[in-house]
Amino acid sequence: MPPVVAPDNQSDTLLSAVTDTCRSDPAIACDESDTAVLAIIKVIRAANKGELPLFAATLGMASQDFAALLDELSRRAVHFSPCHAGLLAGLPDLFPPLVEMLWESRSCDERLSWWTAHAIASACFGRGHLWQDLGLRGRDDVSRLFSQRFSELFALNIENLKWKRFLFQELGRRLGYPDLKPPACDACDETNLCFPSQRGDVIALY
């Protein structure tokens, strides 16, 4: 698997228009860029509180990329610890190809989309539904985020599957594991709704 390389465009307008209301309540979604920014903030906060895997505290990013993100967040009065050492030790094997799949479907080359891809991939390894682990209000916010930032994947979800299930199904198809499922499915009380005909037959590579 080739390495995923971050975009070099330094001129993007990033993390713009995050209002004081949105900063005070990250569960409130505002415009397109705000939804992405708020998801990024919520994922990092959840990881710092132990609600997501430790690697999600840096969105699974290399130190240089994470430092650039922290710099942009600090300009919006959102501050996180710059600590990075050791946080990637538990990075799941499927995380890099999941980020790559998201990035390949991007609608634009802004760094915000690059960071959002990492936030979504990080949240995919949480225990809740994707909208919950992204700190958004509901599935509609996630669908809107995909339609705006990752339109190719949005268009592929023609069966309107739950987003975590769809992402791992699509990732499994690309990697040769057509029955790949999200890591927390076994602990979810809606597993039989998502996999009604595959009880015990789906694949987990964790």
Side-chain angles (χ1 to χ4, degrees):
M1 183 69 64
V4 181
V5 180
D8 292 326
N9 189 344
Q10 299 291 333
S11 62
D12 298 329
T13 302
L14 303 171
L15 307 178
S16 60
V18 181
T19 65
D20 290 337
T21 300
C22 291
R23 286 202 298 266
S24 63
D25 186 357
I28 299 174
C30 300
D31 65 22
E32 171 188 342
S33 63
D34 290 339
T35 303
V37 172
L38 295 171
I40 290 169
I41 293 170
K42 288 291 285 186
V43 167
I44 297 174
R45 284 182 176 172
N48 277 296
K49 295 192 311 186
E51 297 171 357
L52 287 175
L54 187 60
F55 76 85
T58 62
L59 303 185
M61 293 193 299
S63 58
Q64 184 175 0
D65 280 339
F66 188 60
L69 171 59
L70 292 183
D71 181 61
E72 294 295 343
L73 290 178
S74 68
R75 298 180 189 180
R76 305 296 183 256
V78 178
H79 302 282
F80 292 103
S81 168
C83 179
H84 190 277
L87 292 183
L88 299 186
L91 195 70
D93 291 340
L94 291 178
F95 181 83
L98 183 55
V99 171
E100 182 176 25
M101 182 179 74
L102 285 158
W103 180 243
E104 286 177 352
S105 78
R106 66 193 181 277
S107 305
C108 57
D109 288 336
E110 291 180 347
R111 279 202 174 184
L112 179 54
S113 293
W114 171 249
W115 292 331
T116 305
H118 281 76
I120 291 173
S122 297
C124 279
F125 291 88
R127 296 184 293 270
H129 295 298
L130 187 55
W131 68 267
Q132 294 170 323
D133 289 326
L134 286 171
L136 300 178
R137 297 174 299 181
R139 173 182 168 80
D140 287 347
D141 280 353
V142 181
S143 296
R144 189 176 305 108
L145 184 60
F146 271 90
S147 70
Q148 294 164 341
R149 292 280 162 186
F150 308 102
S151 55
E152 289 185 16
L153 284 171
F154 177 78
L156 286 175
N157 191 5
I158 56 176
E159 298 180 42
N160 198 31
L161 299 177
K162 292 183 184 296
W163 280 107
K164 275 191 186 180
R165 182 195 172 185
F166 168 74
L167 289 173
F168 278 88
Q169 177 178 285
E170 185 65 16
L171 181 63
R173 185 188 67 79
R174 297 182 181 209
L175 297 179
Y177 299 101
D179 295 321
L180 189 65
K181 66 176 182 178
C185 273
D186 289 339
C188 178
D189 57 7
E190 296 186 11
T191 299
N192 292 339
L193 295 177
C194 289
F195 303 97
S197 62
Q198 297 180 329
R199 300 177 189 178
D201 296 330
V202 289
I203 299 174
L205 302 178
Y206 314 105

